[in-house]
């Protein structure tokens, strides 16, 4: 589905939360690289999609009622074969039904398993006085503990994106640290500009959360994405 179709379908259903699958479809259309992510509505379908994507895969609960998928036991990574996918499917369903008995679960998303990289977060929130702002930071423990993030008002240009990636305290981690690969910072800056351009051109987006993005020596990939529409 196109971005326009996804947005109008959500409006029709009076939904403000998009699924991860929908969010990644929209970001893909914007030119932001996301892990391949496909909905499976049954265990058999989860296996056949996994074979098509190629192992290892990741399985995640797909439900607009469950936004924190790990908290509900709804994320299984590094599944190596069909047997592992079948078992993961059952475990995800059992624990999500227990965690959120009233949630409507449409199925699971089957995803390509991204190789590890430097964990980044990017997103957009609406500030009460400034309107839409884009955000960039280091993911994982660093962002949770240190809130090491940088913000700019939309629209941004490349020079603003350069400032955002250089003003965070942990910027050394982007340069490669203790034998880790450096992150492709120019690629991340382009992602920020694409995000800003999209937000600037599109009505009715309240919040975008890409957490995590894995950054590599060459390129980066969005591993989890959430989009909230304005009410
Ligand atoms: P949550 O809703 O809990 O934020 P995520 O989709 O972010 O769920 O998944 C939790 C964690 O699982 C991620 O932070 C990441 O480390 C790992 N993960 C999720 N999807 C993938 C993927 N496609 N490839 C590799 N790792 C993944
Ligand atoms: Mg996440």
């Amino acid at each position: 589905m196109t971005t326009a179709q996804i947005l109008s379908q959500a409006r029709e259903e009076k939904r403000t939360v998009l699924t991860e699958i929908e969010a990644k479809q929209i970001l893909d259309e914007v030119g932001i690289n996301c892990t391949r992510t496909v909905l499976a509505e049954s265990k058999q379908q989860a296996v056949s999609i996994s074979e098509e994507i190629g192992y290892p895969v990741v399985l995640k609960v797909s439900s607009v009622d469950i936004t924190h998928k790990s908290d509900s036991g709804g994320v299984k990574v590094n599944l190596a074969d069909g047997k592992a996918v079948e078992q993961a499917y059952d475990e995800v369903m059992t624990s999500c039904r227990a965690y959120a008995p009233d949630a409507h679960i449409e199925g699971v998303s089957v995803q390509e398993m991204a190789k590890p990289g430097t964990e980044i977060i990017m997103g957009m929130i609406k500030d009460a006085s400034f309107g839409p702002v884009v955000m960039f930071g280091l993911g994982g423990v660093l962002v949770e503990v240190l809130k090491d993030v940088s913000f700019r008002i939309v629209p941004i240009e490349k020079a603003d994106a350069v400032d955002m990636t250089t003003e965070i305290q942990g910027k050394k981690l982007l340069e490669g640290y203790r034998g880790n690969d450096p992150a492709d910072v120019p690629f991340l800056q382009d992602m920020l500009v694409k995000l800003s351009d999209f937000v600037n051109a599109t009505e009715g987006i309240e919040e975008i959360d890409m957490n995590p993005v894995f950054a590599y020596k060459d390129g980066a990939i969005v591993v989890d994405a959430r989009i909230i529409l304005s009410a």
Side-chain angles (χ1 to χ4, degrees), residues 108-164:
V108 297
S109 72
V110 183
Q111 316 192 356
E112 105 189 58
M113 170 98 190
K115 63 178 170 30
T118 307
E119 273 193 51
I120 306 290
I121 58 165
M122 275 186 209
M124 183 280 285
I125 54 169
K126 278 195 175 155
D127 182 85
S129 21
F130 299 121
V133 295
V134 283
M135 185 259 285
F136 173 83
L138 288 165
V141 178
L142 275 172
V143 69
E144 281 154 33
V145 180
L146 300 176
K147 307 270 182 275
D148 187 14
V149 287
S150 160
F151 295 95
R152 282 294 180 285
I153 299 171
V154 169
I156 64 164
E157 290 177 5
K158 181 72 184 246
D160 303 305
V162 170
D163 290 344
M164 291 176 78

Side-chain angles (χ1 to χ4, degrees), residues 180-202:
N180 286 328
D181 279 340
D184 188 344
V185 176
F187 192 92
L188 298 172
Q189 292 159 350
D190 284 340
M191 286 173 74
L192 285 166
V193 173
K194 283 177 185 168
L195 178 66
S196 164
D197 288 347
F198 167 65
V199 167
N200 199 37
T202 314

Side-chain angles (χ1 to χ4, degrees), residues 69 211-212 224-225:
K69 298 175 294 288
N211 181 9
D224 183 26

